[in-house]
Amino acid sequence: MSTSKLTRIDPLPRPLDGSIHVPGDKSISHRSILFSAMAEGTSRVSGVLDSEDVRSTIGAVTALGAEVNLEKMPDGSLQGGVTGWGAAGPKQPTEPIYCGNSGTTVRLLMGVLAPWDIRVTLTGDASLCKRPMRRIALPLTKMGASFEPVGQDTLPITEVGNPNLHAITYDMPVSSAQLKTAVMLAGLSCEGTTEVHEPSPSRNHTELMLPQFGAETVAARGMASVTGPVTLQASEVVVPGDPSSAAFLVCAALLRPGSRIQVENVSLNVARIGFTRTLERMGADIALTTQGHSGKEPYGIISASYTDTLRGCEIPAEKIAGLIDEVPVLSLVAAHAKGITVFRNVSELRVKESDRLQAIIDGLGKLGVSAWAEGDDLYIEGNPDLQTPDDLVFDSLGDHRLAMTWSLVGLCGDKPVHIDNFESVAVSFPGFLSQFDRLVSE
C-alpha cells in the first residue's frame, strides 16, 4: 500500500451533540439534472449535491447540449437553472463522454441516449471501467439500441441510438434502481407502456420524480412502468438531504459514548431508510420524524443516541437493495454488537466502486473481528468490548463509502487510525469531517 496519501483520523474530543444537515441526496441530484436536461424549457433545481459524481452528470448533459447554470450556495449546495434539449434531442458530442467514478451517470445516460440518432462513446475512470454495464445494455438492445463492441461488459463502450425504439416488459435479473431507470428513460420515447419487474424493491426516485416533469408512471411493489411517447416539461426540484450520508453520522452517534444528534431535512423515502430499520432491529436508540414533502419525496429528521446494548440480527435478501450502500457502515456497527449479524445476498457489493464485500471482511479483520462470506451472504461476529488496535492503517481502495466507514473507527474510538486515499469521500460527501467538527463544537 502506498503511504503517500495517508490521512490521520483522530478520536473525537467530545461526544457528538446537536442538530446538523447533510448534503443533498446524490440519487435525487443526479436525476434532477438529467431529467431537466431532457425536458423542454428551463427547470429550477436547488439543494443539489456538489460532488464529483454529480459534477460528472453536469458535464455529461452539457456535452450533449443542455445549458446548466448553477451557483454554489452558502451551505455548499448548487442552485439554479437547467435548460434542456426537449423534443430536439441531445446533440452529437464531439468526443467521448467521461463519467468519472459515477455509475449512476453512465448507466442512466445509456437510457437517455437510446432513442436518439446519435453515436456516443461512454467512458470513466479506472474503477468505473471495471464495473458491469451489460446488465444495462441488454434491455436497451431489446428495445432497439445497439452497443459496440457487441457483448462488452465494461467501459469504454459506444452506444448507437435508435429513434424507433419499442416498448418492452422486462424482468430484471437483479434489483437495481440504475437498471430500472435506464429502461424507463428509454421508454419515454416509445409508443405504449414500458414495464419493468424487479425481484425486490429498489430506490424509486425515478417513479416519484418523472410525473413532476409530465410523464405518466406507475409504481408498485416490484414493478414500475412509464407510458410514452412523451417529451418531459421543465419543472422545479428541491433536493432533500442524503440518507446514505446521514447514515455515517447516525452510526457514529450510536458508537461514540454520550452522543445524541439530529440529522435534519433528510430524505425519508421508505426505499432509502432501510438502514434505520436495521439499526432499530439491532436495538439502536433511533427515531424518524416526517416534516413534509418535496414533490412526492418525504423529508424530516433522523435522531440517534449512543447505544451500548447493540445486538446482532439477520437482514433478509429482499431488504438488501434498499440499504446496499449502507452495508459497509452497518457492518462496522455489527462489529460492536453482541452476537452474529447476517446480511443475505450481498453479491452486489462485489461490483461497486471496489469489491466492498472482501474489503469489509479484510477491514474488520484488522479490528480483530471475525467476518466471513458464505456464498453471497456476509456474516459478522460482533464484540461489544471491541478495542481499537494500535497503528491501524486502512486502505479505502479509492471507495468513498469505505473511506468514511473506516474513519469512524478513529473518530469513535480512543486511538487514531490512518486511511489511504481518504480524499475519495469527495465523490459523495465533500466536507465529511467538517460535519463532525460542528457536532463536537456546539
Side-chain angles (χ1 to χ4, degrees):
M1 179 196 311
S2 169
T3 58
S4 60
K5 296 182 180 179
L6 288 182
T7 299
R8 176 177 165 133
I9 307 293
D10 289 310
L12 294 167
R14 289 177 296 280
L16 298 167
D17 182 47
S19 300
I20 200 161
H21 290 70
V22 290
D25 184 272
K26 185 155 73 84
S27 295
I28 299 175
S29 293
H30 280 297
R31 286 160 175 79
S32 72
I33 300 299
L34 275 171
F35 298 176
S36 296
M38 298 169 68
E40 199 77 56
T42 299
S43 297
R44 177 81 175 170
V45 296
S46 59
V48 173
L49 172 67
D50 186 8
S51 73
E52 291 178 3
D53 271 13
V54 176
R55 289 279 181 180
S56 291
T57 291
I58 293 171
V61 300
T62 300
L64 291 165
E67 295 181 17
V68 182
N69 297 293
L70 303 180
E71 60 178 333
K72 193 144 186 171
M73 306 307 291
D75 65 359
S77 68
L78 298 175
Q79 177 176 305
V82 180
T83 303
W85 51 71
K91 72 176 185 180
Q92 174 68 49
T94 57
E95 56 188 24
I97 291 182
Y98 180 72
C99 299
N101 188 246
S102 179
T104 302
T105 300
V106 67
R107 288 169 174 157
L108 270 57
L109 205 59
M110 289 165 74
V112 171
L113 297 171
W116 301 102
D117 187 18
I118 56 177
R119 181 187 183 91
V120 181
T121 298
L122 301 167
T123 190
D125 68 8
S127 172
L128 188 61
C129 286
K130 295 177 183 177
R131 298 178 66 181
M133 298 296 156
R134 189 183 298 128
R135 63 174 63 172
I136 311 295
L138 180 59
L140 296 179
T141 301
K142 290 179 181 292
M143 298 175 80
S146 58
F147 296 84
E148 301 170 357
V150 175
Q152 181 160 309
D153 193 28
T154 56
L155 301 179
I157 56 174
T158 298
E159 181 169 5
V160 182
N162 180 358
N164 299 308
L165 290 188
H166 56 270
I168 62 170
T169 296
Y170 187 65
D171 293 325
M172 293 166 46
V174 295
S175 293
S176 165
Q178 294 174 355
L179 171 53
K180 175 173 61 176
T181 298
V183 175
M184 293 181 71
L185 294 183
L188 291 171
S189 296
C190 298
E191 188 75 40
T193 298
T194 295
E195 188 171 304
V196 291
H197 299 262
E198 53 187 349
S200 60
S202 65
R203 298 179 183 184
N204 61 354
H205 301 302
T206 297
E207 300 95 301
L208 296 180
M209 192 186 295
L210 278 178
Q212 291 180 242
F213 288 83
E216 179 185 340
T217 66
V218 173
R221 184 176 177 84
M223 187 279 287
S225 70
V226 63
T227 300
V230 60
T231 298
L232 299 184
Q233 300 298 312
S235 184
E236 180 174 353
V237 180
V238 179
V239 181
D242 194 324
S244 293
S245 295
F248 292 95
L249 298 172
V250 167
C251 290
L254 298 177
L255 297 177
R256 176 61 167 87
S259 296
R260 187 178 189 87
I261 69 167
Q262 291 186 329
V263 186
E264 300 180 341
N265 193 40
V266 64
S267 170
L268 298 182
N269 183 316
V270 293
R272 296 294 305 283
I273 55 173
F275 78 92
T276 67
R277 306 307 181 199
T278 296
L279 291 171
E280 286 175 347
R281 293 181 61 203
M282 298 177 78
D285 186 351
I286 187 171
L288 309 179
T289 305
T290 301
Q291 293 181 301
H293 288 76
S294 175
K296 295 184 179 181
E297 295 277 354
Y299 66 88
I301 298 171
I302 303 177
S303 304
S305 300
Y306 171 66
T307 305
D308 62 357
T309 55
L310 295 167
R311 57 182 180 270
C313 70
E314 180 174 329
I315 301 90
E318 61 268 22
K319 301 295 185 183
I320 293 297
L323 52 78
I324 191 67
D325 285 337
E326 292 78 54
V327 171
V329 73
L330 289 174
S331 296
L332 183 61
V333 175
H336 290 80
K338 182 178 181 179
I340 293 178
T341 297
V342 185
F343 296 89
R344 297 291 185 191
N345 193 15
V346 290
S347 58
E348 191 69 12
L349 289 175
R350 295 190 173 101
V351 292
K352 289 291 187 177
E353 285 85 335
S354 64
D355 182 346
R356 286 182 183 164
L357 181 56
Q358 188 60 50
I360 289 168
I361 293 170
D362 293 343
L364 294 183
K366 292 184 179 226
L367 290 168
V369 173
S370 181
W372 67 97
E374 291 184 9
D376 291 331
D377 300 336
L378 172 62
Y379 290 77
I380 298 167
E381 186 173 1
N383 177 8
D385 300 317
L386 185 61
Q387 300 293 316
T388 305
D390 293 326
D391 303 319
L392 268 187
V393 178
F394 291 100
D395 188 348
S396 75
L397 303 175
D399 187 322
H400 55 126
R401 302 210 190 273
L402 292 177
M404 290 186 282
T405 295
W406 303 136
S407 75
L408 295 194
V409 177
L411 292 167
C412 301
D414 57 1
K415 296 174 184 175
V417 301
H418 290 83
I419 300 175
D420 189 43
N421 197 8
F422 180 76
E423 294 78 10
S424 60
V425 300
V427 164
S428 64
F429 201 161
F432 172 73
L433 290 179
S434 66
Q435 300 287 60
F436 289 91
D437 292 338
R438 293 188 184 99
L439 286 169
V440 298
S441 62
E442 292 185 357

